[in-house]
Amino acid sequence: LSFFKKFLNLPHGVPSHDTFGRVFAALDTEAFAKSFTAWVQDLASGVDANIVAIDGKTMRRTLDKANEKAAIHLVSAFAQANQLVLGQVKVDDKSNEIKAIPKLLEQLSLSGALVTLDAMGCQKTIANQIIESDADYLLRLKGNHDTAFEEVKLAFDYAQTNGGLTLVSDEIDAGHG
């Protein structure tokens, strides 16, 4: 404790749990999140050809049935090279990741990165937003996007039969995570 008094120069000691609670309660959470995200991105700057994985996860033990509160679901951007979460956005209740991903992308500096998204993020508007951020994307395409899925399949079939592509496909289903 004396180390903290000297290090932080707190003449009356370390603030109590209640004091920290009041300070955190007074913070503008959106402004703090933006500032924190900018700081984390500054830590991650200088990495060329970084892969940024965007994915949503439900936080464990956040479901509160007694108070009728849904579990908290977050969409996160993870910088693979730095092993660092660049930012997170809470998915609004009665919404989904498709609306939260653009909010997260607005906060990030993605120039030169390869952004990966699962099938939930396979949306034209999201892909355009990534391109406008001077980044590339790799989207998971599933059969529920009928037209796009068939067009991509035809393109791969055409390239493979005309010698322009050697197709190697491995599918690994490891469940969630």
Side-chain angles (χ1 to χ4, degrees):
L1 216 67
S2 62
F3 168 76
F4 286 110
K5 285 182 182 178
K6 288 180 184 177
F7 179 71
L8 297 173
N9 195 22
L10 300 172
H12 302 291
V14 177
S16 71
H17 173 273
D18 293 341
T19 301
F20 278 112
R22 286 190 298 273
V23 169
F24 290 136
L27 291 176
D28 177 347
T29 55
E30 286 189 31
F32 178 80
K34 287 180 182 178
S35 297
F36 184 79
T37 299
W39 175 68
V40 169
Q41 284 193 34
D42 191 47
L43 290 176
S45 66
V47 177
D48 293 330
N50 195 12
I51 297 173
V52 177
I54 295 180
D55 196 16
K57 296 288 179 204
T58 301
M59 295 178 61
R60 292 180 56 166
R61 297 188 179 103
T62 58
L63 177 65
D64 186 359
K65 290 182 181 179
N67 294 311
E68 298 180 2
K69 292 187 178 181
I72 296 172
H73 191 73
L74 298 174
V75 175
S76 302
F78 181 76
Q80 181 269 333
N82 302 66
Q83 300 289 297
L84 184 67
V85 174
L86 298 175
Q88 291 181 322
V89 170
K90 182 179 179 235
V91 176
D92 293 330
D93 292 340
K94 299 180 183 178
S95 185
N96 61 31
E97 293 177 24
I98 296 171
K99 294 190 178 181
I101 292 170
K103 292 177 188 175
L104 178 60
L105 291 172
E106 286 173 8
Q107 297 177 9
L108 303 174
S109 174
L110 296 170
S111 182
L114 173 64
V115 179
T116 66
L117 288 140
D118 61 12
M120 179 69 82
C122 186
Q123 304 289 323
K124 291 177 188 176
T125 56
I126 292 172
N128 286 333
Q129 189 175 1
I130 293 168
I131 292 168
E132 289 169 6
S133 298
D134 193 32
D136 296 312
Y137 60 83
L138 177 64
L139 304 176
R140 168 98 192 247
L141 179 62
K142 291 172 83 175
N144 60 340
H145 289 279
D146 299 336
T147 306
F149 185 82
E150 287 304 317
E151 287 177 2
V152 169
K153 189 173 182 226
L154 286 172
F156 274 98
D157 289 344
Y158 176 82
Q160 189 176 17
T161 57
N162 291 302
L165 177 69
T166 303
L167 189 59
V168 177
S169 175
D170 288 329
E171 184 171 322
I172 301 171
D173 186 356
H176 294 284

